[in-house]
Amino acid sequence: MRILVIHGPNLNLLGKREPEIYGSTTIDEINTLLKKEAKTLGADVEFSQSNSEGEIVNTIQEAMGSVDGIVINPAAYTHTSVAIRDAIASTGIPTVEVHISNIFKREDFRKKSFISGVSIGVVSGLGIDSYLLGLRGMVSYLKK
Ligand code: DQA
């Protein structure tokens, strides 16, 4: 079972970026934890990060046929991107949306997600555990 984890814009700055909101763990540390968790779950995991909407769309399209599920933190594109939503819907790859912060507890513009409607589930607000729980949920969904 192959799972692709996609990190959206500005998540390359995790650890330095607004640590009071996003914590001090870096993207590399999150990926290491995910790799460990995936091993326990018997899944293979690969990673991608991009600050560009088109690149994320390409990554999702290229995953077709080679990846069983996607765990995505679309970051700011959550709230704006019809293109990423359509890529997920068009490929039909089961997708879990994750957020470090609780997007429903923040500014009004963050409360709307274009991605949730094409996701099998959403984990938001549990810090880096959102990624780990998202991965667990994805694997459990695929095993059923
Ligand atoms: C985020 C929440 C988004 O609103 C924000 O733009 C991000 C990160 C999160 O993980 O909490 O960049 O997706």
Side-chain angles (χ1 to χ4, degrees), residues 65-116:
S66 66
V67 154
D68 301 299
I70 291 175
V71 174
I72 186 168
N73 183 346
Y77 290 138
T78 305
H79 320 295
T80 62
S81 183
V82 177
I84 293 175
R85 180 196 173 100
D86 284 354
I88 294 167
S90 305
T91 59
I93 303 170
T95 297
V96 171
E97 175 186 350
V98 302
H99 300 282
I100 294 170
S101 64
N102 180 352
I103 58 171
F104 305 103
K105 210 168 120 182
R106 300 183 61 193
E107 301 96 324
D108 280 346
F109 69 85
R110 292 186 203 275
K111 291 179 182 155
K112 164 128 186 95
S113 167
F114 280 91
I115 312 303
S116 303

XYZ file of all heavy atoms in Angstrom, residues 65-116:
397
model
N -2.639 5.782 -10.435
C -2.148 4.472 -10.855
C -0.961 3.968 -10.055
O -0.644 2.795 -10.094
N -0.284 4.861 -9.318
C 0.885 4.393 -8.565
C 0.718 4.575 -7.054
O 1.500 4.050 -6.267
C 2.158 5.109 -9.035
O 2.093 6.464 -8.720
N -0.313 5.326 -6.656
C -0.496 5.617 -5.235
C -1.916 5.190 -4.846
O -2.867 5.391 -5.600
C -0.247 7.143 -5.017
C -0.983 7.668 -3.808
C 1.248 7.434 -4.909
N -2.061 4.597 -3.657
C -3.383 4.127 -3.222
C -4.168 5.191 -2.464
O -5.399 5.162 -2.438
C -3.222 2.892 -2.318
C -2.502 1.771 -3.044
O -3.034 1.313 -4.071
O -1.384 1.389 -2.622
N -3.442 6.099 -1.810
C -4.126 7.128 -1.030
C -3.237 8.343 -0.843
O -2.010 8.256 -0.939
N -3.890 9.476 -0.595
C -3.158 10.737 -0.382
C -3.537 11.305 0.981
O -4.725 11.303 1.349
C -3.511 11.761 -1.495
C -2.941 11.312 -2.849
C -3.008 13.162 -1.130
C -3.350 12.200 -4.028
N -2.539 11.774 1.712
C -2.764 12.588 2.908
C -2.238 13.965 2.548
O -1.054 14.108 2.212
C -2.014 12.018 4.139
C -2.139 12.960 5.331
C -2.542 10.624 4.494
N -3.106 14.965 2.560
C -2.688 16.290 2.099
C -2.968 17.361 3.143
O -4.051 17.395 3.740
C -3.385 16.661 0.756
C -2.834 17.981 0.196
C -4.898 16.723 0.889
C -3.236 18.282 -1.247
N -1.949 18.200 3.385
C -2.179 19.461 4.080
C -2.083 20.531 2.992
O -0.985 20.941 2.623
C -1.140 19.703 5.176
C -1.446 20.990 5.945
O -2.259 21.807 5.504
N -0.785 21.177 7.081
N -3.222 20.980 2.463
C -3.180 21.936 1.350
C -2.793 23.345 1.788
O -2.692 24.238 0.942
C -4.616 21.914 0.810
C -5.346 20.845 1.578
C -4.589 20.619 2.838
N -2.623 23.529 3.112
C -2.231 24.834 3.675
C -3.142 25.934 3.130
O -4.362 25.747 3.078
C -0.747 25.072 3.429
N -2.591 27.060 2.687
C -3.434 28.192 2.271
C -4.332 27.848 1.084
O -5.421 28.424 0.938
C -2.556 29.389 1.935
N -3.920 26.879 0.247
C -4.749 26.506 -0.907
C -6.045 25.818 -0.492
O -6.974 25.695 -1.293
C -3.967 25.622 -1.883
C -2.876 26.346 -2.628
C -1.629 25.772 -2.826
C -3.101 27.622 -3.143
C -0.623 26.441 -3.504
C -2.096 28.298 -3.824
C -0.862 27.701 -4.005
O 0.126 28.367 -4.675
N -6.104 25.355 0.760
C -7.348 24.796 1.298
C -8.510 25.727 1.016
O -9.605 25.294 0.640
C -7.225 24.673 2.843
O -6.072 23.919 3.158
C -8.463 24.055 3.451
N -8.228 27.022 1.212
C -9.294 28.024 1.244
C -9.535 28.691 -0.106
O -10.377 29.576 -0.209
C -8.947 29.081 2.306
C -8.361 28.488 3.549
N -9.075 27.644 4.374
C -7.106 28.559 4.097
C -8.295 27.247 5.365
N -7.087 27.781 5.222
N -8.758 28.298 -1.119
C -8.851 28.992 -2.410
C -8.895 28.074 -3.631
O -9.326 28.521 -4.697
C -7.623 29.915 -2.616
O -6.439 29.110 -2.646
C -7.515 30.966 -1.522
N -8.440 26.831 -3.491
C -8.090 26.093 -4.707
C -9.156 25.130 -5.247
O -9.286 23.975 -4.798
C -6.785 25.322 -4.522
O -6.448 24.684 -5.737
N -9.869 25.599 -6.263
C -10.770 24.718 -7.000
C -9.922 23.716 -7.801
O -10.310 22.560 -7.988
C -11.675 25.553 -7.939
C -12.575 24.648 -8.774
C -12.521 26.538 -7.135
N -8.742 24.151 -8.250
C -7.881 23.285 -9.082
C -7.411 22.044 -8.308
O -7.407 20.929 -8.854
C -6.680 24.080 -9.598
N -7.022 22.217 -7.056
C -6.583 21.055 -6.260
C -7.791 20.165 -5.944
O -7.725 18.947 -6.030
C -5.824 21.506 -4.990
C -4.494 22.165 -5.396
C -5.571 20.320 -4.051
C -3.691 22.773 -4.259
N -8.900 20.792 -5.617
C -10.132 20.013 -5.395
C -10.463 19.167 -6.628
O -10.728 17.966 -6.532
C -11.285 20.966 -5.095
C -12.605 20.260 -4.861
C -13.773 21.226 -4.964
N -15.040 20.515 -4.902
C -15.794 20.426 -3.812
N -15.404 21.007 -2.702
N -16.918 19.758 -3.842
N -10.424 19.791 -7.806
C -10.765 19.075 -9.035
C -9.760 17.962 -9.334
O -10.137 16.911 -9.865
C -10.832 20.049 -10.224
C -12.111 20.880 -10.223
O -12.993 20.630 -9.379
O -12.220 21.791 -11.064
N -8.486 18.191 -9.007
C -7.459 17.152 -9.241
C -7.768 15.920 -8.389
O -7.683 14.782 -8.868
C -6.067 17.687 -8.926
N -8.165 16.142 -7.148
C -8.495 15.020 -6.259
C -9.735 14.299 -6.789
O -9.762 13.071 -6.909
C -8.702 15.516 -4.803
C -7.386 16.045 -4.230
C -9.290 14.410 -3.920
C -7.530 16.840 -2.937
N -10.752 15.075 -7.166
C -11.991 14.479 -7.684
C -11.728 13.751 -9.004
O -12.226 12.647 -9.229
C -13.047 15.558 -7.863
N -10.920 14.351 -9.871
C -10.684 13.777 -11.206
C -9.906 12.472 -11.151
O -10.150 11.562 -11.948
C -9.899 14.748 -12.091
O -10.554 15.985 -12.144
N -8.930 12.395 -10.256
C -8.111 11.187 -10.175
C -8.831 10.093 -9.390
O -8.539 8.903 -9.564
C -6.755 11.450 -9.492
O -7.005 11.951 -8.185
C -5.917 12.445 -10.281
N -9.723 10.500 -8.494
C -10.440 9.529 -7.668
C -9.571 8.881 -6.606
O -9.966 7.874 -6.015
N -8.395 9.429 -6.357
C -7.510 8.835 -5.329
C -8.081 9.206 -3.950
O -8.277 10.397 -3.669
C -6.060 9.363 -5.463
C -5.498 9.076 -6.865
C -5.167 8.742 -4.382
C -4.159 9.773 -7.143
N -8.364 8.197 -3.102
C -8.881 8.508 -1.771
C -7.926 9.455 -1.033
O -6.709 9.231 -1.013
C -8.941 7.146 -1.072
C -8.943 6.144 -2.174
C -8.178 6.757 -3.306
N -8.491 10.507 -0.445
C -7.661 11.573 0.141
C -8.163 11.959 1.525
O -9.374 12.058 1.749
C -7.699 12.807 -0.798
O -7.109 12.441 -2.050
C -6.948 13.984 -0.220
N -7.214 12.134 2.430
C -7.522 12.664 3.767
C -6.882 14.041 3.875
O -5.711 14.224 3.519
C -6.986 11.728 4.881
C -7.118 12.389 6.253
C -7.741 10.403 4.884
N -7.660 15.019 4.335
C -7.176 16.401 4.510
C -6.736 16.593 5.961
O -7.470 16.205 6.874
C -8.339 17.348 4.176
C -8.039 18.818 4.428
C -9.292 19.693 4.228
O -10.339 19.202 3.724
O -9.214 20.877 4.590
N -5.562 17.150 6.151
C -5.089 17.385 7.521
C -4.626 18.830 7.695
O -4.160 19.469 6.745
C -3.936 16.420 7.924
C -4.373 14.974 7.804
C -2.663 16.653 7.122
N -4.788 19.330 8.921
C -4.294 20.659 9.299
C -3.711 20.589 10.699
O -4.310 19.970 11.592
C -5.427 21.689 9.287
C -6.065 21.832 7.954
N -5.485 22.556 6.942
C -7.208 21.310 7.447
C -6.256 22.485 5.871
N -7.300 21.719 6.144
N -2.598 21.265 10.874
C -1.964 21.330 12.190
C -2.854 22.123 13.153
O -3.118 21.716 14.273
C -0.565 21.980 12.052
C 0.347 21.054 11.235
C 0.029 22.281 13.434
C 1.668 21.690 10.829
N -3.316 23.285 12.685
C -4.169 24.133 13.526
C -5.633 23.767 13.292
O -5.967 23.092 12.309
C -3.932 25.606 13.184
O -4.331 25.882 11.845
N -6.493 24.223 14.195
C -7.935 24.015 14.033
C -8.479 25.155 13.175
O -8.695 26.266 13.657
C -8.610 23.986 15.403
C -10.106 23.760 15.287
O -10.666 23.768 14.188
N -10.759 23.572 16.415
N -8.679 24.867 11.885
C -9.059 25.939 10.945
C -10.440 26.523 11.268
O -10.749 27.625 10.835
C -8.999 25.475 9.458
C -9.905 24.285 9.191
C -7.566 25.165 9.042
C -10.046 23.936 7.694
N -11.235 25.798 12.043
C -12.589 26.269 12.365
C -12.598 27.229 13.560
O -13.617 27.820 13.874
C -13.507 25.067 12.639
C -13.500 24.111 11.479
C -12.773 22.936 11.531
C -14.172 24.426 10.306
C -12.739 22.071 10.454
C -14.137 23.576 9.214
C -13.419 22.401 9.285
N -11.435 27.364 14.184
C -11.315 28.194 15.377
C -10.561 29.487 15.059
O -10.272 30.272 15.943
C -10.512 27.373 16.408
C -10.814 27.641 17.848
C -10.162 26.561 18.684
C -9.168 27.154 19.648
N -8.498 26.093 20.438
N -10.226 29.673 13.791
C -9.368 30.797 13.421
C -10.140 31.850 12.623
O -11.342 31.988 12.791
C -8.140 30.252 12.661
C -7.323 29.273 13.519
C -6.087 28.785 12.810
N -5.187 29.883 12.492
C -4.140 29.781 11.648
N -3.892 28.611 11.064
N -3.373 30.816 11.402
N -9.458 32.613 11.769
C -10.129 33.661 11.001
C -11.242 33.039 10.138
O -11.121 31.895 9.698
C -9.137 34.375 10.064
C -7.952 35.028 10.752
C -6.721 34.128 10.759
O -6.853 32.885 10.893
O -5.614 34.683 10.642
N -12.260 33.846 9.834
C -13.393 33.341 9.046
C -12.952 32.775 7.702
O -13.497 31.771 7.244
C -14.434 34.450 8.829
C -15.316 34.622 10.061
O -15.289 33.728 10.939
O -16.002 35.651 10.151
N -11.949 33.417 7.054
C -11.561 32.948 5.713
C -10.961 31.541 5.751
O -10.904 30.860 4.727
C -10.610 33.940 5.023
C -9.231 34.046 5.624
C -8.230 33.151 5.251
C -8.917 35.038 6.549
C -6.943 33.244 5.788
C -7.639 35.129 7.099
C -6.656 34.235 6.717
N -10.513 31.097 6.929
C -9.937 29.741 7.024
C -11.007 28.681 7.278
O -10.743 27.485 7.224
C -8.898 29.675 8.150
C -7.656 30.479 7.864
C -6.600 30.252 8.942
N -5.692 31.368 8.981
C -4.621 31.503 8.195
N -4.300 30.562 7.334
N -3.856 32.578 8.295
N -12.216 29.125 7.604
C -13.257 28.151 7.974
C -13.811 27.416 6.767
O -14.452 26.386 6.905
C -14.376 28.855 8.745
C -13.895 29.299 10.114
C -14.934 30.017 10.922
C -14.304 30.453 12.254
N -14.960 31.596 12.844
N -13.569 27.962 5.568
C -14.059 27.307 4.345
C -12.924 26.485 3.729
O -11.817 26.993 3.529
C -14.539 28.376 3.361
C -14.695 27.867 1.962
C -16.070 28.185 1.371
C -16.251 27.538 0.019
N -16.913 26.261 0.064
N -13.216 25.217 3.436
C -12.249 24.368 2.740
C -12.839 23.889 1.427
O -13.933 23.318 1.401
C -11.875 23.152 3.594
O -11.174 22.205 2.801
N -12.097 24.106 0.345
C -12.511 23.587 -0.959
C -12.196 22.088 -1.064
O -12.653 21.424 -1.986
C -11.785 24.330 -2.088
C -12.394 25.673 -2.401
C -11.950 26.824 -1.758
C -13.425 25.791 -3.319
C -12.510 28.062 -2.041
C -13.996 27.023 -3.604
C -13.536 28.167 -2.961
N -11.371 21.600 -0.134
C -10.858 20.231 -0.244
C -11.730 19.223 0.529
O -11.842 18.067 0.131
C -9.394 20.164 0.283
C -8.534 21.308 -0.331
C -8.759 18.803 0.020
C -8.494 21.344 -1.854
N -12.363 19.673 1.614
C -13.110 18.741 2.481
C -14.176 17.957 1.729
O -14.380 16.767 1.992
C -13.777 19.500 3.628
O -12.809 20.199 4.363
